[in-house]
C-alpha cells in the first residue's frame, strides 16, 4: 500500500524508528532497577565525577565526588566518610542515601551485570544527573 502522506512523512517515520532502536540498543533510556544491599557494596565511579566506596558495615567513602550548582554545572569536589543506607529495604533497594557530600538519594538502573546509579543535580526542573557505574 502506498503512503499518501508523501516522502517527507515516510522519511520522518523511518528516522524516528531508527532513533528509538538506537536509544534502546545503547541503553540511553533510564530503566529503574532494584538492588540488594550486597549488590550496592563496592566501588562506584565514572570519569571525572568522582568515586563512592560503599562498605558492608554501612560506611561510605567519597573521593573527589563532583558537586554542582543550581544550573547543573560542576563547581567543586567533595571527599569524606559517612554512612549509607538503602530504601525501601535492603532486599529491594530502589535508592541509596549517604550522609557524605550532597544528600540527594541515588537511584539504580542498568543491567544486573552493569548496574548504574544516578542522582539529580542542580535544579530538578532541568533534568541534570550525576551517574556512577559499579566497578
Amino acid at each position: 500500500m502506498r503512503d499518501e502522506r508523501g516522502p517527507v512523512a515516510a522519511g520522518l517515520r523511518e528516522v524516528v524508528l531508527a532513533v528509538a532502536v538506537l536509544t534502546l540498543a545503547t541503553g540511553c533510556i533510564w530503566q529503574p532497577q532494584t538492588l540488594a544491599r550486597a549488590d550496592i557494596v563496592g566501588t562506584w565511579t565514572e570519569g571525572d565525577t568522582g568515586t563512592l566506596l560503599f562498605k558492608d558495615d554501612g560506611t561510605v567513602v567519597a573521593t573527589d565526588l563532583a558537586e554542582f550548582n543550581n544550573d547543573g554545572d560542576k563547581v567543586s569536589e567533595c571527599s569524606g566518610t559517612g554512612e549509607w543506607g538503602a530504601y525501601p529495604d535492603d532486599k529491594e533497594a530502589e535508592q541509596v542515601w549517604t550522609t557524605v557530600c550532597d544528600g540527594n538519594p541515588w537511584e539504580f538502573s542498568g543491567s544486573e551485570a552493569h548496574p548504574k546509579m544516578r542522582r539529580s543535580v542542580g535544579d530538578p526542573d532541568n533534568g541534570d544527573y550525576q551517574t556512577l557505574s559499579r566497578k
Side-chain angles (χ1 to χ4, degrees):
M1 185 169 208
R2 199 175 114 177
D3 189 340
E4 298 296 326
R5 294 172 291 179
V8 173
L12 181 59
R13 185 178 64 235
E14 291 171 358
V15 168
V16 169
L17 180 61
V19 169
V21 169
L22 183 60
T23 299
L24 288 172
T26 60
C28 292
I29 294 177
W30 189 263
Q31 295 292 325
Q33 161 176 318
T34 58
L35 292 179
R37 185 178 183 89
D39 295 327
I40 299 168
V41 171
T43 302
W44 296 73
T45 190
E46 194 70 43
D48 67 345
T49 61
T51 301
L52 287 173
L53 170 60
F54 292 92
K55 298 181 180 182
D56 59 5
D57 67 357
T59 59
V60 60
V61 178
T63 305
D64 300 329
L65 192 64
E67 294 187 309
F68 300 84
N69 64 18
N70 279 345
D71 293 327
D73 299 322
K74 180 180 173 182
V75 294
S76 64
E77 294 176 344
C78 173
S79 295
T81 302
E83 297 177 348
W84 71 276
Y87 54 94
D89 61 51
D90 290 344
K91 294 179 184 175
E92 297 293 328
E94 296 172 3
Q95 296 180 333
V96 64
W97 54 266
T98 67
T99 62
V100 64
C101 302
D102 184 349
N104 283 344
W106 296 83
E107 59 185 8
F108 301 111
S109 182
S111 66
E112 188 173 321
H114 303 288
K116 294 185 177 292
M117 60 192 288
R118 74 176 184 182
R119 67 177 176 174
S120 176
V121 297
D123 182 343
D125 292 335
N126 292 341
D128 294 324
Y129 295 93
Q130 178 181 20
T131 304
L132 303 176
S133 298
R134 191 176 65 203
K135 283 192 139 192

